[in-house]
Every structure is written in C-alpha cells, then in structure tokens.
Amino acid sequence: MTTSLFSLQGRVALVTGGAQGLGLAIAAGMADAGAHVIVAARSAQRVDAAVAMLRDRGGSAEALVLDITDEAAGARAFERIDAAHARLDILVNNAGARNRQTMAHLGAADLREMLETNLVAPYALCRQAAARMGRGGYGRIVNVSSIAGQVARAGDVLYPATKGGLDALTRAMAADLGRDGVTVNAIAPGYFATEPNQPMVADESVADWLRQRTALGRWGQPDEVAGAAVFLASPAASYITGHVLAVDGGYLAHF
C-alpha cells in the first residue's frame, strides 16, 4: 500500500532541463519510481548522456532535444510524444534562466528575455500538456520555482520576479484545470549544490552563511529534491493542487 502510493509505474513523464542538476535528479527519481521519462534539454550531448545514465540504473527513458522558448518546436515535440506514447501523464517544468545583476545593469529587454524562459515557456508547455491530460481526466504538472519567488536579495532583481510569477501561475492553472483531473503544483528549491552554483559551493564564506541561515545548516544535494517531485506526481498527492512546496533545508522557516 505504501509503495503503491508513490508509484509512477506506467506513467509517461516529460522533464525539461532534465539533463543536469535538479532536472536530472528529478528525472532519475521519476524513473526509479517506474515512470518512462522523456528527458528534454537544448544540448543533444547532455540529453543523450542523461538518458544513458537513467537506463544504466534500470530506468526507462528517451531523449528530446528542445529549446523551451521555441513555441513551435514545443508543439512539434508534443506531437511526437502523441505519436510514440498516445499520452502524457506528468510534466515537470524545470528549465530556467538566471542573471544575477542589479537594476542598474538590467533593462526591460533583459526582463522580457527572462520572462520568456521562466514564465512564458512553462505556460506554453502547460497548455500543450493540459490539453492531452484533460482528454484522459488525469495529469500532474510540477513547476520548479524557487524560494526566490517568495524572498529576494540585492543583486538578483529579475529572477525573483519571474519565479514569483510562476508561483502565481501555478495557483491560477490549478484553479483552471482541477475539474479536468489535472493537479498543478510547484517546488521551491533553496540552495542546492548544482553545477551552476559550483563557484558558490567552493566559497567557504557561503557555506558559513548557510550554516547560520538554514535550519539544516548546509547546501542541499540535487537528489534531495527528487522525493518532492515524485510525491507531487504520485497518487499520494492526489488531493494537493495549487501548492508551492519549499525544499530549502528550512531557509524560509528560519529567522
């Protein structure tokens, strides 16, 4: 009973930005739970390597080279998923962009560009996914947001705005899609030791700060986000929608 609650056996999942970092950890978690995982990213080399890794550990996976900001390419990708699987049960919107700078260095064009990646593209993919999920009366959408959607710091002005928008979009889509049997939730990761964060991970002053600022006192490891994604995609979360789940070592709760 407990195992079946968290099983994704027989489900088809699409994970964007799934070739590295948190996306790869989520893809691995879903494959381990029994899902067939479509790993999407812009780099064919990285996607192929990720799929090979998932298969080596016994998972079912396939590659999809996709730039999420290309709406036409996204539509074609869903057509290919239809042709190959005739279904899509789970969408994880993980791919995103960040530009850590102050307002003095970022114009409106920079905001528009980041909105395209962090908000417009996820919305377009959700529309494609929801149309297919609605036909079967079942679906799980998991958006990867950030604690930056709820708190901010100097020198990173645009990213919090886009992630705050993604949090609000998650709630709005949950309200819109619930009657179709589709749940929409988000994960808000805190500080994780991923590839893009390696310069900060190597900085002992950042580690000291995290020891004081988070309840668990350390960096998160990428595989520690997988459980939250599997949970929200599983039968165990069947009555949860419109929720933003912080996976942050207690950052938001720690005064």
Side-chain angles (χ1 to χ4, degrees):
M1 177 65 176
T2 303
T3 302
S4 64
L5 270 177
F6 299 95
S7 173
L8 302 181
Q9 195 68 42
R11 300 299 184 187
V12 177
L14 170 60
V15 181
T16 71
Q20 63 176 338
L22 298 186
L24 180 55
I26 290 170
M30 294 202 167
D32 289 347
H36 174 76
V37 181
I38 303 167
V39 180
R42 290 180 296 181
S43 167
Q45 183 177 4
R46 283 185 170 177
V47 166
D48 288 342
V51 168
M53 185 273 281
L54 295 181
R55 290 176 177 171
D56 285 346
R57 52 192 277 163
S60 176
E62 66 180 270
L64 175 62
V65 178
L66 177 65
D67 178 352
I68 63 166
T69 63
D70 185 336
E71 189 170 352
R76 291 193 297 271
F78 276 92
E79 289 172 1
R80 291 197 294 274
I81 293 169
D82 280 341
H85 304 286
R87 64 187 298 171
L88 181 70
D89 303 296
I90 301 162
L91 170 64
V92 180
N93 278 309
N94 170 72
R98 194 165 196 163
N99 187 349
R100 287 186 174 95
Q101 294 198 64
T102 65
M103 289 181 68
H105 296 93
L106 296 167
D110 297 299
L111 175 57
R112 293 189 189 97
E113 182 178 359
M114 194 174 294
L115 282 168
E116 284 292 328
T117 302
N118 291 355
L119 193 58
V120 176
Y123 178 66
L125 294 175
C126 284
R127 287 190 75 242
Q128 291 281 353
R132 288 153 175 85
M133 293 171 176
R135 291 199 297 258
Y138 176 93
R140 300 285 187 265
I141 294 173
V142 181
N143 295 318
V144 179
S145 182
S146 169
I147 56 171
Q150 301 175 54
V151 293
R153 62 183 307 180
D156 192 16
V157 67
L158 299 185
Y159 186 74
T162 63
K163 291 301 186 177
L166 186 60
D167 289 351
L169 181 62
T170 296
R171 292 187 289 271
M173 291 191 298
D176 208 43
L177 298 175
R179 299 298 174 89
D180 296 328
V182 179
T183 66
V184 189
N185 293 289
I187 296 169
Y191 282 78
F192 276 81
T194 57
E195 292 95 327
N197 286 335
Q198 281 309 307
M200 292 200 308
V201 174
D203 187 337
E204 190 57 34
S205 67
V206 177
D208 287 340
W209 177 75
L210 282 175
R211 279 191 281 271
Q212 299 177 49
R213 183 61 184 82
T214 63
L216 296 184
R218 61 174 175 83
W219 283 93
Q221 296 305 309
D223 60 358
E224 292 183 295
V225 80
V230 170
F231 165 64
L232 291 174
S234 76
S238 59
Y239 202 59
I240 299 172
T241 195
H243 183 68
V244 180
L245 173 60
V247 185
D248 64 351
Y251 182 98
L252 292 176
H254 192 273
F255 183 74

